[in-house]
Amino acid sequence: MRVAVFNTKAYDRQFLTHANQTFAHKLTFLEPRLELTTAPLAKGHDAVCVFVNDVVDAAVLTALSDVGIRVVALRCAGFNNVDLAAAERLGIDVVRVPAYSPHAVAEFTIGLLLAVDRKIPRAWTRVRDNNFALDGLIGRNLHGRSVGVIGTGKIGALVARTLKLGFGCDVMASDVEPDPALEALGVRYVDREMLLREAEIVTLHCPLTPDTRHLIDAPAIASARDGVVIVNTSRGALIDTAALIGGLKSRKIGAVALDVYEQEADLFFEDLSGEIISDDLFQRLLTFPNVLVTGHQAFLTEEALEAIAMTTLSSLADAEAGLPLVNRLDPRFIAISR
Ligand code: NAD
């Protein structure tokens, strides 16, 4: 299949090229992000391959359809950036990688939590400056702390299990479909409001949907425990950033660790170190000593990149051969499963 790979980074090229030895697709690596102005670059291809912050709305899908694109392959799990109903109307199949390595994201989540809670980045900065003073670096044990996991699918379940079994946390969870295996471990399912009221640490692992957008907002923060620690490695728009900043300024929130940010599409995955950043909310976030932000890298392990490349290219081979697409996103199914 002739595939236009948008938003290509060096690691995409490396892992897709290697996996393509098995498939022999014709891959065209393009650096621009997919959006309305760049959609014409897909001309001459059968499929596009895109990532989390590419724009795949109705207008872009129409432009892709006009140049003969039949398949959109997401090289990620989340699909909130795609208008699935429009894709269906246009006869474009959308495939994704539903599970490439939940361990990659779960392990990074625990890493972020420990880093912000034990002030590891601040300590490292000090030590590099030969400042070995410990004042201001007091953390708290994870053992015995109450943690609320919102969304216990593949990633959230691993995080809940690790915190429960590995660290001895008191884990509660909220999900539209409770996981009996987690309940058997002693994870308590409660409603979201109770979780937000009771948990000392809240970690987000649900998808971004109309129901979950800004689930951490000003009222949720006001209802939370004093000193609550908030971790988000799922999708930025689960959190109302202005409300988060309000909670940090009032000292209601104890610490925040983010791998995702609501307006990340304008920032992440690019080297902007020589640029002026005009996003004042993001810049304000970076000023807090108790905030840790990474640029959407929780997925970034060798294992995950290999699995993403293999699954994506395999789906495209199935599409070319007219085989059933096991990783196709069916808007009707998703509407029901939400
Ligand atoms: P998953 O589909 O296995 O799990 C999602 C869980 O959320 C499911 O159990 C679902 O029932 C639950 N859920 C749905 N609506 C909910 C609601 N309103 N309230 C509570 N729970 C709800 O997905 P996953 O593989 O575990 O991934 C979780 C999220 O992580 C993805 O949606 C994606 O946005 C994000 N993600 C981030 C990265 C990264 O690099 N930072 C990488 C992969 C995935």
Side-chain angles (χ1 to χ4, degrees), residues 2 4 6 38-46 48 63-64 66-69:
R2 298 169 304 168
F6 280 86
T38 59
L41 294 171
K43 192 173 178 189
H45 300 85
D46 311 297
V48 295
L64 292 176
D66 288 347
V67 296
I69 293 299

Side-chain angles (χ1 to χ4, degrees), residues 278-300:
S278 53
D279 183 334
D280 291 346
L281 281 183
F282 187 72
Q283 293 301 95
R284 180 67 177 105
L285 259 188
L286 301 188
T287 64
F288 294 100
N290 49 349
V291 171
L292 176 58
V293 183
T294 50
H296 206 140
Q297 73 171 85
F299 73 99
L300 200 68

Side-chain angles (χ1 to χ4, degrees), residues 243-263:
L244 192 75
I245 289 170
L248 283 157
K249 285 169 74 175
S250 70
R251 295 163 177 75
K252 174 78 179 177
I253 297 175
V256 170
L258 306 176
D259 186 49
V260 286
Y261 168 63
E262 188 166 7
Q263 305 301 335

Side-chain angles (χ1 to χ4, degrees), residues 81-96:
N81 53 333
V82 185
D83 186 334
L84 290 174
E88 173 135 298
R89 269 199 313 278
L90 293 162
I92 295 178
D93 286 321
V94 181
V95 293
R96 65 163 175 158

Side-chain angles (χ1 to χ4, degrees), residues 100 105 153-155 175 205 207 211-212 233-235 259 296 299:
Y100 41 87
V105 184
K154 291 175 286 295
I155 296 167
D175 197 304
H205 302 288
D211 176 49
T212 60
T233 59
S234 188
R235 282 293 179 267
D259 186 49
H296 206 140
F299 73 99

Side-chain angles (χ1 to χ4, degrees), residues 2-9 11-12 16 27-36 38-42 45-57 60-61 64 69 71-84 87 92-98 100 235 269 296 299 305 308-309 311-313 315-316 329:
R2 298 169 304 168
V3 188
V5 183
F6 280 86
N7 221 334
T8 305
K9 303 293 177 214
Y11 48 83
D12 295 314
L16 284 167
L27 304 179
T28 308
F29 292 107
L30 302 167
E31 286 184 15
R33 184 171 83 145
L34 175 62
E35 53 196 2
L36 199 52
T38 59
L41 294 171
H45 300 85
D46 311 297
V48 295
C49 177
V50 300
F51 196 49
V52 290
N53 292 325
D54 288 285
V55 181
V56 199
D57 60 13
V60 169
L61 285 162
L64 292 176
I69 293 299
V71 185
V72 171
L74 297 165
R75 50 181 192 276
C76 55
F79 51 88
N80 50 282
N81 53 333
V82 185
D83 186 334
L84 290 174
I92 295 178
D93 286 321
V94 181
V95 293
R96 65 163 175 158
V97 186
Y100 41 87
R235 282 293 179 267
F269 308 117
H296 206 140
F299 73 99
L305 288 169
I308 288 169
T311 306
T312 303
L313 299 183
S315 293
L316 290 167
L329 287 162

